[in-house]
């Protein structure tokens, strides 16, 4: 009986044919965990993965290679790329990464040329092509290289043109300390090494030289899949300190960051330029938000990201399915992910006693004075010697123009000229100039490796006489000094570590390091262009971020000093501010040349700041509004003119005494005893010229004494007379130095607002940005807080971010900032409490590393728009106290902070944003009249006892 239709078995469906996907690469790549993670995620019912054995790739003919429909093949060390191209031509599989264009990736010159054609920005660069039959002109100086007329200034990067050669070097300018950083493949936890004595470029092989780009010490690696997908990870740059940060699993710590639309467009262009479906490339994010591509690697692996593995496998599957020309969706498929944790709710309590659980630190701003420095030195000599005059003629076509020598080759040549002169004539000044050059490794006999010691050594040839358009006599001026000492660098590093432990509400400072490592710390460090200030910032940053090694790479990588920074942090101000400061100096100079008693029999127990005695009134003719420290110093001086004479006499006795027992040992930084003694004789002559005393030299005298006490005391074996000299100079400096910035409150306030205006505006902007009230982009590197990324990185408080701005400057700017805060205009809102004002008025000196700190806190117990939600705490430190120390001392002085003010952020910003009456054209005239009246009153008290030759308020 025939079977009924319902009894028939169901038809058998044909099993869909699986696509064969060949993976042709070196075994180290095909067997790596990332490759296995990606391949294991491809649908097993759709793809059959065929791994080409390494022995087959290297030894067998391409005809014997497995036959596949799709091919993943990419170059790495030892891979026969040309054989892979032959195989693709023979079997014609669908190639995921274009093989012929992988040849472009092997030459960095071709990579940059391809990027330029695609419209992708790259660092400015030049090529030295020694492997090609071309003629090139190459010139090298201390701080630059010129190739065929194109100049690249240090810092610059030297890259071998061979992309497989990772022996890259970064050369640093002499202003940052010189030397170079050698980069190499990771060896343990080391990825680079600083070479302080390696200054010259390599002379064999072909290299690409490109400008070093300031990226805040961070590298960004982008991993793209197709034209529309990119995964980015950031890590600490190897140019920083060369120490590789690793997690518990031993892998280098990298964290996902968000790409901008500009960077996504770059990924799109790179895909079409190189036709590498899976591709890695390196981008440099500049401080102003630009994006530059510095390397394209081809097939690259993300080391640890499940989300990337899922996305990459899904996109590869879609691309392989669409290889017949069908349009496919190039985006990863949506997947269900756990919801993101709330951004600003449920914050864990902070363990710091300074920040209760309801408060969250939002911003830290610090303005810091530079550390301990060497005194500024100068030697002058007039000469008509033909060899010296000839140097001026050779360097300058115009006989009336000054010549400056800064390059090490020019200074060594000048030293060689002096040597030739000294063989015939023993000219004492020439011999001492040569001694200075030799102490700075600028002598022709020194064994140099192509660079100079970071000394700020400069030589000038100023024409004095000329005949028939030819110079006949010049003045040689050698200037040096003013550089950060080793002790100053040690103290700055210790201060940075102190900040890490105490300024951020985390135990032991580890929280700040984790914030910074995970790109939730928006840090920028800005300095003026003075070497000692830049090096102080770098040494401080070394301690703050717990970095290792020398500070030159840190300076170049993290310290920013643009034009706006120089304007903001150098002593400037407009013409009116300079006139106000000059009037104050002239007033103090005039008052100190008066033979008058400022301390009477009723002064022993009086409070110098509040006394109403006639002697206190005289002191107020010098400093009518204090500060208290100046009034006390004036009281201690007694008679200002007598105090100046005593200082001069004591200094002369000191110079005469040390002259009788010359020292044969070299002093600090290789200085000879003769040069050191001449510097003291020179400043003595400048201090008093038989007519009047130059009060501007008093702080300089005290700085020299402090320097010698710290660095030369053991070598020169000073006696008790030195301590007496130090005491007299210290008291005079405490009375004179603060008054250089204004002797009366109103002119001082006006000058302060002029000088610190740009810095005050920047601080106000920083506070508003930290509150979210500006359009600033905020974090330079923004953490990608996708839940799957967070799960892989184990970041808990991904919403926490802190903005830090560190500004390093000179003493004058710090005085101006504090004066602007404490000397508020009558009727304006005050931001400083009385206790803080009294404390600051009593501080005798803002010493090295003195600093002001602003910390912005958010109190979530207030409503969002309440003024009390954001508050600012202002703290001040007077810096390192003067204690006679040797440079070898390991324990730096403590730097206590005093709470100066605690106000709402809105109140502080209103105050900083005010005009405070600084634009009045009558300010200078009123200040002149005020100072003349005060000085006239003081001279009247003296009954005619005024040093002859003192003019009235010279400006």
């Amino acid at each position: 009986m025939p079977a009924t239709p319902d009894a028939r078995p169901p038809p058998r469906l044909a099993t869909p044919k699986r696509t064969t996907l060949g993976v042709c690469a070196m075994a180290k790549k095909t067997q790596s965990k990332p490759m296995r993670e990606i391949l294991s995620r491809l649908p097993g019912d759709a793809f059959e993965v065929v791994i080409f054995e390494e022995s087959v790739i290297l030894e067998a003919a391409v005809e014997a290679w497995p036959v596949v429909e799709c091919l993943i093949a990419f170059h790495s060390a030892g891979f026969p790329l040309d054989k892979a191209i032959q195989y693709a031509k023979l079997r014609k599989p669908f190639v995921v990464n274009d093989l012929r264009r992988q040849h472009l990736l092997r030459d960095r010159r071709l990579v940059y040329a391809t990027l330029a054609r695609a419209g992708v920005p790259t660092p400015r660069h030049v090529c030295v092509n020694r492997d090609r039959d071309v003629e090139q002109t190459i010139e090298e100086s201390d701080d630059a290289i010129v190739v065929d007329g194109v100049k690249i200034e240090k810092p610059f990067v030297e890259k071998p043109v061979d992309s497989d050669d990772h022996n890259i070097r970064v050369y640093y300018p002499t202003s940052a300390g010189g030397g170079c950083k050698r980069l190499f493949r990771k060896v343990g936890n080391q990825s680079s090494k600083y070479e302080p004595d390696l200054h010259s470029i390599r002379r064999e092989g072909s290299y690409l030289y490109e400008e070093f780009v300031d990226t805040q010490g961070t590298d960004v690696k982008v991993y793209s899949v197709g034209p529309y997908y990119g995964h980015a990870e950031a890590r600490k740059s190897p140019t920083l300190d060369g120490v590789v940060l690793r997690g518990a699993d031993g892998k280098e710590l990298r964290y996902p960051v968000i790409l901008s639309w500009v960077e996504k467009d770059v990924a799109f262009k790179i895909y079409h330029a190189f036709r590498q479906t899976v591709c890695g490339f390196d981008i440099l994010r500049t401080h102003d938000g630009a994006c530059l591509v510095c390397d394209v690697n081809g097939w690259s692996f993300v080391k640890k990201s499940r989300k990337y593995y899922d996305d990459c496998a899904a996109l590869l599957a879609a691309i392989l399915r669409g290889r017949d020309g069908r349009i496919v969706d190039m985006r990863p498929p949506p997947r269900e992910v756990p919801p993101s944790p709330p951004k600003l709710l449920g914050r864990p309590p902070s363990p710091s006693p300074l920040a209760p659980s309801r408060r969250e630190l939002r911003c830290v701003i610090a303005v810091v004075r530079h550390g301990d420095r060497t005194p500024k030195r100068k030697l002058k000599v007039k000469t008509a010697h033909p060899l010296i005059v000839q140097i001026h003629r050779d360097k300058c076509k115009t006989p009336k123009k000054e010549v400056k020598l800064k390059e090490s080759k020019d200074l060594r040549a000048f030293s060689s000229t002096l040597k030739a002169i000294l063989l015939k004539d023993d000219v004492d000044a020439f011999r001492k100039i040569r001694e200075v050059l030799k102490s700075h490794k600028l002598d022709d006999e020194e064994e140099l490796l192509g660079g100079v010691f970071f000394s700020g050594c400069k030589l000038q040839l100023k024409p004095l006489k000329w005949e028939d358009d030819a110079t006949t006599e010049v003045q040689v001026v050698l200037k040096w000094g003013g550089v950060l000492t080793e002790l100053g660098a040690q103290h700055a590093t210790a201060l940075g570590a102190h900040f890490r432990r105490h300024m951020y509400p985390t135990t032991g400072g580890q929280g700040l390091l984790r914030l910074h490592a995970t790109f939730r710390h928006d840090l920028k460090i800005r300095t003026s262009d003075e070497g000692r200030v830049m090096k102080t910032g770098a040494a401080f940053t070394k301690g703050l971020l717990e970095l290792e090694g020398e500070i030159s790479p840190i300076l170049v990588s993290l310290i920013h000093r643009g034009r706006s920074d120089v304007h903001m942090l150098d002593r400037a101000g407009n013409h009116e501010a300079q006139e106000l400061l000059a009037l104050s100096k002239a007033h103090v100079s005039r008052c100190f040349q008066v033979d008058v008693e400022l301390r009477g029999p009723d002064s022993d127990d009086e409070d110098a700041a509040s006394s109403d005695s006639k002697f206190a009134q005289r002191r107020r003719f010098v400093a009518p509004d204090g500060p208290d420290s100046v009034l006390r110093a004036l009281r201690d001086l007694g008679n200002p003119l007598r105090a100046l004479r005593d200082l001069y006499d004591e200094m002369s006795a000191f110079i005469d005494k040390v002259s009788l027992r010359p020292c044969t040992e070299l002093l600090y930084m290789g200085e000879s005893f003769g040069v050191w003694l001449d510097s003291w004789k020179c400043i003595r002559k400048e201090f008093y010229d038989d007519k009047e005393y130059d009060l501007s030299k008093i702080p300089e005298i005290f700085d020299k004494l402090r320097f010698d006490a710290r660095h030369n005391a053991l070598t020169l074996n000073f006696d008790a007379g030195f301590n007496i000299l130090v005491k007299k100079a210290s008291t005079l400096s405490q009375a004179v130095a603060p008054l250089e910035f204004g002797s009366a409150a109103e002119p001082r306030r006006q000058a302060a607002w002029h000088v610190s205006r740009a810095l005050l505006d920047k601080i106000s902007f920083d506070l508003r940005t930290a509150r979210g009230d500006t359009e600033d982009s905020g974090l330079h590197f923004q953490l990608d807080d996708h839940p799957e990324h967070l799960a892989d990185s184990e970041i808990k408080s991904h919403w926490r971010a802190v903005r830090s701005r560190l500004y390093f400057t000179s003493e004058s700017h710090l005085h101006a900032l504090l004066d602007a805060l404490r000397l508020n205009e009558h009727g304006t809102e005050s931001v400083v409490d009385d206790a803080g004002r009294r404390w600051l008025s009593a501080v005798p000196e803002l010493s090295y590393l003195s600093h002001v700190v602003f910390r912005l806190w958010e109190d979530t117990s207030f409503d969002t728009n309440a003024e009390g939600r954001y508050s600012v705490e202002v703290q001040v430190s007077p810096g390192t106290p003067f204690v006679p120390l040797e440079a070898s001392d390991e324990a730096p002085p403590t730097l206590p902070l005093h709470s100066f003010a605690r106000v709402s952020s809105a109140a502080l910003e209103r105050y900083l944003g005010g005009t405070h009456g600084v634009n009045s054209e009558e300010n200078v005239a009123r200040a002149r009249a005020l100072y003349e009246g005060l000085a006239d009153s003081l001279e009247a008290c003296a009954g005619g006892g005024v040093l002859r030759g003192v003019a009235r308020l010279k400006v």
Side-chain angles (χ1 to χ4, degrees):
M1 183 176 178
T4 62
D6 293 335
R8 294 176 182 174
R12 298 182 64 183
L13 299 178
T15 302
K17 179 179 177 297
R18 293 195 300 170
T19 299
T20 54
L21 171 63
V23 181
C24 179
M26 303 302 285
K28 183 179 179 180
K29 302 294 183 180
T30 59
Q31 296 172 10
S32 66
K33 182 180 179 181
M35 178 65 85
R36 289 185 280 110
E37 291 280 0
I38 294 171
L39 296 179
S40 66
R41 285 167 165 78
L42 293 173
D45 59 347
F47 298 98
E48 178 185 354
V49 178
V50 180
I51 305 293
F52 288 26
E53 295 292 335
E54 184 174 300
S55 59
V56 173
I57 296 172
L58 297 177
E59 300 171 9
V62 295
E63 290 80 6
W65 290 13
V67 179
V68 295
E69 300 168 85
C70 301
L71 180 68
I72 293 175
F74 53 90
H75 171 77
S76 63
F79 181 77
L81 181 58
D82 289 331
K83 286 182 69 176
I85 294 173
Q86 295 174 15
Y87 172 82
K89 185 178 181 180
L90 174 67
R91 302 301 183 188
K92 295 181 173 54
F94 175 79
V95 180
V96 175
N97 278 24
D98 188 285
L99 291 171
R100 292 187 181 276
R101 298 198 189 192
Q102 288 185 35
H103 274 299
L104 299 176
L105 301 176
R106 302 185 64 182
D107 190 317
R108 290 187 170 98
R109 293 168 296 192
L110 299 179
V111 169
Y112 272 27
T114 305
L115 291 172
R117 288 194 297 270
V120 177
T122 59
R124 182 171 172 267
H125 61 277
V126 294
C127 297
V128 173
N129 304 305
R130 296 190 179 97
D131 60 339
R132 297 176 179 176
D133 188 17
V134 294
E135 291 187 3
Q136 289 184 288
T137 59
I138 304 170
E139 301 174 22
E140 184 181 8
S141 62
D142 288 341
D143 289 322
I145 180 175
V146 181
V147 179
D148 294 337
V150 180
K151 185 177 183 179
I152 301 292
E153 294 185 344
K154 293 181 181 179
F156 59 65
V157 185
E158 180 186 62
K159 296 179 178 178
V161 296
D162 182 359
S163 298
D164 292 332
D165 189 344
H166 296 276
N167 294 306
I168 297 172
R169 293 181 181 180
V170 181
Y171 294 90
Y172 301 112
T174 55
S175 62
C180 87
K181 173 85 80 169
R182 292 192 299 107
L183 278 61
F184 41 78
R185 289 284 195 181
K186 300 182 190 72
V187 179
N189 289 331
Q190 197 73 22
S191 61
S192 65
K193 182 180 180 181
Y194 177 66
E195 301 284 358
D197 296 323
L198 195 56
H199 305 275
S200 296
I201 61 173
R202 286 172 277 191
R203 295 294 178 175
E204 295 182 358
S206 297
Y207 298 94
L208 187 149
Y209 294 90
E210 65 181 45
E211 291 180 341
F212 183 88
V213 178
D214 178 8
T215 64
Q216 303 297 304
T218 301
D219 285 350
V220 178
K221 182 86 170 183
V222 181
Y223 302 88
S224 63
V225 184
Y228 304 115
Y229 177 87
H231 170 86
E233 291 185 346
R235 65 167 185 174
K236 186 176 78 170
S237 172
T239 62
L240 202 51
D241 64 354
V243 178
V244 181
L245 298 178
R246 299 188 183 275
D249 57 358
K251 299 292 185 182
E252 182 181 24
L253 286 177
R254 299 184 179 187
Y255 292 93
V257 292
I258 296 174
L259 290 172
S260 67
W261 286 108
V262 172
E263 291 163 345
K264 292 176 182 177
D265 181 60
V266 164
F268 177 87
K269 291 176 179 178
I270 288 177
Y271 167 78
H272 286 286
F274 294 93
R275 288 295 174 182
Q276 304 297 297
T277 300
V278 179
C279 185
F281 59 92
D282 299 331
I283 63 174
L284 305 173
R285 284 183 180 175
T286 65
H287 62 89
D288 56 0
C291 161
L292 304 175
V293 176
C294 63
D295 202 5
V296 180
N297 310 116
W299 189 289
S300 299
F301 297 113
V302 177
K303 301 299 187 292
K304 181 183 175 183
S305 174
R306 288 174 291 176
K307 181 179 184 302
Y308 170 80
Y309 298 149
D310 292 341
D311 294 343
C312 184
L315 286 170
L316 276 176
I319 291 168
L320 296 175
R321 289 191 180 107
R323 66 186 184 278
D324 56 359
R326 289 178 291 145
I327 297 176
V328 298
D329 189 356
M330 298 292 285
R331 295 169 297 178
R335 299 188 306 279
E336 296 217 355
V337 297
S340 299
K343 296 277 184 181
L344 296 173
L345 300 177
R347 291 185 176 127
S350 171
S352 170
L354 292 176
S357 58
R358 66 180 184 177
R359 294 207 301 166
E360 185 76 24
L361 182 65
R362 289 292 176 221
C363 183
V364 176
I365 303 169
V367 183
V368 187
R369 185 191 173 189
H370 62 76
D372 178 66
R373 64 167 175 84
T374 63
K376 294 182 179 179
R377 302 287 173 84
K378 182 167 52 178
L379 278 176
K380 295 182 180 180
V381 58
K382 296 179 182 179
T383 181
H385 197 286
L387 292 180
I388 302 295
V389 171
Q390 188 61 44
I391 294 176
H392 184 276
R393 293 176 180 176
D394 293 341
K395 294 288 184 181
C396 186
K397 296 180 180 179
T398 304
K400 299 181 181 180
K401 191 175 181 181
E402 177 182 308
V403 171
K404 295 182 179 179
L405 304 180
K406 296 181 181 179
E407 291 282 337
S408 62
K409 62 179 181 180
D410 294 330
L411 292 171
R412 287 198 295 271
F414 189 84
S415 179
S416 179
T417 301
L418 294 180
K419 180 181 178 181
I421 295 174
L422 291 170
L423 290 175
K424 297 180 179 180
D425 302 304
D426 186 15
V427 182
D428 184 64
F430 286 170
R431 179 175 48 78
K432 287 173 181 175
I433 289 177
R434 192 161 183 267
E435 287 177 1
V436 174
L437 294 175
K438 189 171 183 178
S439 70
H440 290 81
K441 300 182 182 179
L442 293 169
D443 184 70
D444 63 311
E445 296 176 353
E446 290 291 325
E447 183 67 28
L448 294 175
L449 296 176
V452 300
F453 185 75
F454 177 52
S455 61
C457 196
K458 301 175 184 177
L459 193 140
Q460 299 167 280
L461 300 178
K462 298 181 178 181
L464 298 178
K465 296 179 182 179
W466 49 87
E467 294 178 3
D468 301 328
D469 293 331
T471 307
T472 59
E473 184 179 2
V474 298
Q475 183 182 51
V476 181
V477 182
L478 180 65
K479 297 179 180 179
W480 74 100
V483 301
L484 190 71
T485 64
E486 294 178 7
L487 183 66
Q490 292 170 11
H491 285 181
T493 302
L495 179 59
H498 174 86
F499 258 61
R500 168 167 44 85
R501 292 190 294 265
H502 300 288
M503 286 293 102
Y504 299 85
T506 49
T507 304
Q510 295 304 308
L512 171 65
L513 296 178
R514 183 156 179 79
L515 268 180
H516 192 79
T518 55
F519 307 101
R520 293 171 292 161
H521 182 210
D522 180 13
L523 171 68
K524 285 187 175 62
I525 304 135
R526 302 182 183 276
T527 76
S528 68
D529 60 354
E530 292 181 315
R532 58 183 173 273
V533 179
M534 293 188 295
K535 293 189 74 174
T536 298
F540 179 97
T541 306
K542 177 181 177 179
L544 179 72
L545 300 181
E546 209 172 41
L547 301 174
E548 298 182 12
E550 301 295 326
I551 65 175
S552 293
I554 300 172
L555 192 159
V556 170
S557 298
L558 289 177
I559 307 302
H560 186 66
R561 53 204 178 279
R563 287 186 177 180
S564 61
D565 304 314
V566 173
H567 169 71
M568 179 173 65
L569 297 171
D570 266 348
R571 182 173 180 174
N574 57 20
H575 177 68
E576 181 181 336
Q578 297 305 321
E579 280 194 298
L580 289 170
L581 296 174
L583 282 172
S584 178
K585 291 180 180 179
H587 166 71
V588 176
S589 179
R590 181 181 171 188
C591 290
F592 268 71
Q593 320 281 343
V594 178
D595 189 3
V596 62
E597 291 296 332
L598 302 182
R599 177 187 179 93
D602 61 340
S603 298
D604 290 337
D605 301 322
E606 72 176 52
D607 185 343
S610 59
S611 173
D612 293 326
S613 70
K614 68 175 183 179
F615 300 101
Q617 184 62 43
R618 293 175 183 177
R619 293 193 289 268
R620 290 195 177 90
F621 289 147
V622 182
D625 301 299
D628 295 352
S629 61
V630 171
L631 295 174
R632 292 191 177 97
L634 290 172
R635 181 194 63 187
D636 295 340
L637 288 176
N639 185 304
L641 183 57
R642 186 172 61 243
L644 293 175
R645 290 168 177 161
D646 288 347
L647 178 63
Y648 181 84
D649 292 342
E650 198 69 44
M651 185 163 53
S652 296
F654 166 72
I655 293 172
D656 294 341
K657 188 177 296 184
V658 296
S659 300
L660 297 175
R661 44 185 178 85
C663 176
T664 57
E665 293 184 48
L666 292 179
L667 304 181
Y668 185 71
M669 292 183 68
E671 186 175 44
S672 70
F673 176 80
V675 172
W676 173 86
L677 185 61
D678 275 355
S679 70
W680 271 109
K681 292 179 179 179
C682 179
I683 198 170
R684 177 179 61 179
K685 183 177 180 180
E686 293 172 345
F687 177 48
Y688 181 59
D689 61 0
D690 294 330
K691 293 182 180 179
E692 63 177 305
Y693 293 94
D694 184 355
L695 269 67
S696 68
K697 297 300 175 183
I698 291 177
E700 188 176 339
I701 292 171
F702 179 61
D703 281 346
K704 282 177 64 64
L705 290 168
R706 173 164 45 190
F707 175 83
D708 285 335
R710 284 178 166 170
H711 303 285
N712 291 325
L714 291 180
T715 305
L716 294 175
N717 193 24
F718 295 135
D719 59 16
F722 178 79
N723 293 329
I724 296 174
L725 178 58
V726 169
K727 176 62 177 176
K728 290 182 180 295
S730 175
T731 306
L732 270 169
S733 182
Q734 290 174 16
V736 171
L739 298 184
E740 290 185 346
F741 310 102
S743 303
E746 185 60 17
R748 187 181 182 107
R749 182 187 64 80
Q750 293 162 0
W753 278 90
H754 280 296
V755 172
S756 62
R757 179 74 270 170
L759 180 57
L760 293 170
D761 289 343
K762 186 62 171 63
I763 291 172
S764 181
F765 175 81
D766 291 336
L767 294 174
R768 293 197 309 273
T769 301
R771 284 171 32 196
D773 293 343
T774 70
E775 296 182 358
D776 187 87
S777 59
L779 290 170
H780 190 56
F781 298 93
Q782 188 173 353
L783 184 72
D784 188 345
D785 60 357
H786 190 284
E788 289 188 58
H789 288 324
L790 297 177
D792 285 334
S793 61
E794 300 180 355
I795 298 174
K796 305 301 181 184
S797 54
H798 68 95
W799 40 262
R800 176 174 285 124
V802 176
R803 181 184 181 92
S804 294
R805 292 294 182 268
L806 308 177
Y807 304 108
F808 291 85
T809 184
S810 59
E811 179 187 9
S812 60
H813 242 70
L814 209 61
H815 272 287
L817 173 62
L818 289 173
D819 287 341
L821 291 175
R822 70 183 181 91
L823 298 175
N824 59 303
E825 190 175 19
H826 178 70
T828 61
E829 187 174 17
S830 177
V831 298
V832 180
D833 55 38
D834 291 339
R837 192 177 287 107
R838 287 194 301 270
W839 177 85
L840 188 60
S841 182
V843 172
E845 179 191 18
L846 292 179
S847 186
Y848 297 132
L849 294 178
S850 51
H851 52 277
V852 185
V853 182
F854 302 80
R855 291 200 295 175
L856 176 68
W857 299 89
E858 180 183 8
D859 191 335
T860 57
S861 66
F862 284 86
D863 293 338
T864 304
N865 297 323
E867 183 166 311
R869 186 177 180 94
Y870 292 94
S871 62
V872 179
E873 180 183 36
V874 186
Q875 295 176 293
V876 181
S877 169
T880 57
F882 172 50
V883 180
L885 296 173
E886 290 76 39
S888 59
D889 280 3
E890 297 180 357
T894 57
L895 299 166
L897 277 168
H898 182 87
S899 290
F900 188 58
R902 188 176 283 111
V903 295
S904 71
S905 177
L908 179 60
E909 290 164 32
R910 284 195 299 269
Y911 181 81
L912 296 181
T915 59
H916 294 267
V918 297
N919 296 319
S920 172
E921 296 180 358
E922 301 177 356
N923 286 340
V924 174
R926 286 199 297 265
R928 184 187 299 274
L930 171 63
Y931 288 144
E932 285 188 351
L934 292 169
D936 288 344
S937 299
L938 185 65
E939 290 178 357
C941 297
V946 181
L947 189 64
R948 295 181 61 185
V950 179
R952 294 169 60 85
L953 295 186
K954 296 185 298 183
V955 179

